[in-house]
Amino acid sequence: MAPDKKQSSNDSLLRVRGLKKHFPVRKGLFSRVVAQVKAVDGISFDVGRGETIGLVGESGCGKTTAGRAILRLIEPSDGSVEFDGKELGAMSAEELRLLRQKVQIIFQDPFSSLNPRMTVGSIIGEGLTIHGGEESRAERTERIRETMALCGLDPSYAGRYPHEFSGGQRQRIGIARALALRPEFIVCDEPVSALDVSIQSQIINLLVELREKYQLSYLFIAHDLSVVEYISDRVAVMYLGRIVEFAKSEELYERPLHPYTQALLSAVPVPDPRRKKSPVALPGDVPSPLNPPGGCHFHPRCPIAKDICKIEEPRELDLDGHKVWCHVVEQELRPG
């Protein structure tokens, strides 16, 4: 049974405004910058307390880069990120270190994200060692064992190494590492994409249980729309560094407005053959973020594109919280 969806809270824990991350392309003897890869090109959204925002799109659209830029694991090129009313870009190194207790990340690959030379207990307890304050060694050990049990791991395995665990168990270790400091906000960077389908549901259910128990907020990054539908309260759809549609989960899946969202949802497998839809075939490939198209980035592949789409960037159309960036949809649905 799917978890109950929360209403978006006005009390935003995270506020992202105009976030950009451009990577310079250098050539020549003096490494002169000749171009910019626009991985994230100006995205904005809020995450409420206890809310899960899904961030979806094809590979290469900038989802992972956005998540890491929000946490300042990589430095943004422009934009503002506020956590609990505090601007991350204005924080000193010490302030940012203290913030790490409240914001964590679960990485995509459970095989490469764990240090093979550290025991599971050391991996989970590393954050406690750095941020634990006046906790005694016995208290930290107890916290590690408690966190392992919460994540479905046998606490007696704390002395083992990552290679002794399966992929699903390794991802549980990654979740336990993120949870050990009892954070308020976690970026889940495609946490189930490397796992078998049977294991994916177990990990998703675990994340839902932890969210309810600790009132966690998630930014859940994924390309599997069925997974995102299950766990997310609201969903943002990204294409080539930009958000093209943003709405409550139920509304987005029942009434997608942007042609890119419609194409993505048409490709989601449906177990009931009576509800089967013909996939919407998009021509061509995703353009390079090194040289994105002008106007609306999606217009070279869009089945309903008009001349204005090639020239002007679409504006935000807000239909009672269902936001879409599309000239054609705006012409059809803008009030008045």
Side-chain angles (χ1 to χ4, degrees), residues 100-116:
R100 299 293 182 207
Q101 301 178 58
K102 298 182 179 180
V103 297
Q104 289 289 310
I105 184 170
I106 300 167
F107 293 99
Q108 176 179 358
D109 187 354
F111 297 92
S112 63
S113 61
L114 303 178
N115 189 332

Side-chain angles (χ1 to χ4, degrees), residues 115-120 157 159-165:
N115 189 332
R117 294 179 177 85
M118 294 176 66
T119 64
V120 168
Y157 293 170
R160 297 189 179 186
Y161 290 85
H163 72 269
E164 300 179 70
F165 294 84

Side-chain angles (χ1 to χ4, degrees), residues 2 14 26 36 40 51 60 71 81 111 137 148 169 196 238-239 245 253 259 265 275 288 296 299 306 314 318 334:
L14 182 79
R26 302 178 184 274
Q36 297 280 345
V40 179
E51 184 182 30
L71 297 183
V81 179
F111 297 92
R137 186 170 182 176
M148 290 183 69
Q169 288 173 319
D196 293 339
M238 280 190 74
Y239 183 81
E245 190 164 3
Y253 283 81
L265 290 176
R275 296 175 53 202
S288 169
C296 173
H299 83 259
K306 297 184 177 181
D318 191 342
R334 179 171 287 281

Side-chain angles (χ1 to χ4, degrees), residues 7 12 17 26 74 78 81 87 91 93 96-97 114 117 128 131 156 184 200 218 224 226 231 251-252 259 274 278 307:
Q7 295 293 327
S12 296
R17 294 291 180 271
R26 302 178 184 274
I74 54 176
D78 197 5
V81 179
E87 172 61 50
M91 288 185 174
L96 197 59
R97 187 186 72 83
L114 303 178
R117 294 179 177 85
L128 296 173
H131 300 287
S156 65
E184 298 177 37
Q200 287 183 8
Y218 292 146
D224 187 334
S226 59
I231 195 173
E251 187 169 347
L252 184 85
R274 293 171 296 181
S278 299
D307 290 340

Side-chain angles (χ1 to χ4, degrees), residues 46-104:
D46 294 353
V47 182
R49 297 179 187 277
E51 184 182 30
T52 298
I53 297 295
L55 191 59
V56 302
E58 294 172 283
S59 296
C61 72
K63 307 184 299 296
T64 291
T65 302
R68 296 191 179 201
I70 287 169
L71 297 183
R72 282 188 65 186
L73 297 180
I74 54 176
E75 287 298 320
S77 303
D78 197 5
S80 168
V81 179
E82 291 184 7
F83 180 81
D84 204 11
K86 298 178 181 178
E87 172 61 50
L88 270 65
M91 288 185 174
S92 66
E94 177 60 20
E95 289 173 326
L96 197 59
R97 187 186 72 83
L98 295 174
L99 178 72
R100 299 293 182 207
Q101 301 178 58
K102 298 182 179 180
V103 297
Q104 289 289 310

Side-chain angles (χ1 to χ4, degrees), residues 8 51-54 228 232-237 243-257 261 318-325:
S8 174
E51 184 182 30
T52 298
I53 297 295
V228 173
S232 300
D233 301 308
R234 292 185 293 157
V235 177
V237 180
I243 292 175
V244 298
E245 190 164 3
F246 191 22
K248 292 179 181 178
S249 179
E250 299 93 334
E251 187 169 347
L252 184 85
Y253 283 81
E254 292 176 4
R255 185 173 171 255
L257 298 178
T261 309
D318 191 342
L319 302 170
D320 295 326
H322 190 152
K323 300 179 181 181
V324 62
W325 287 258

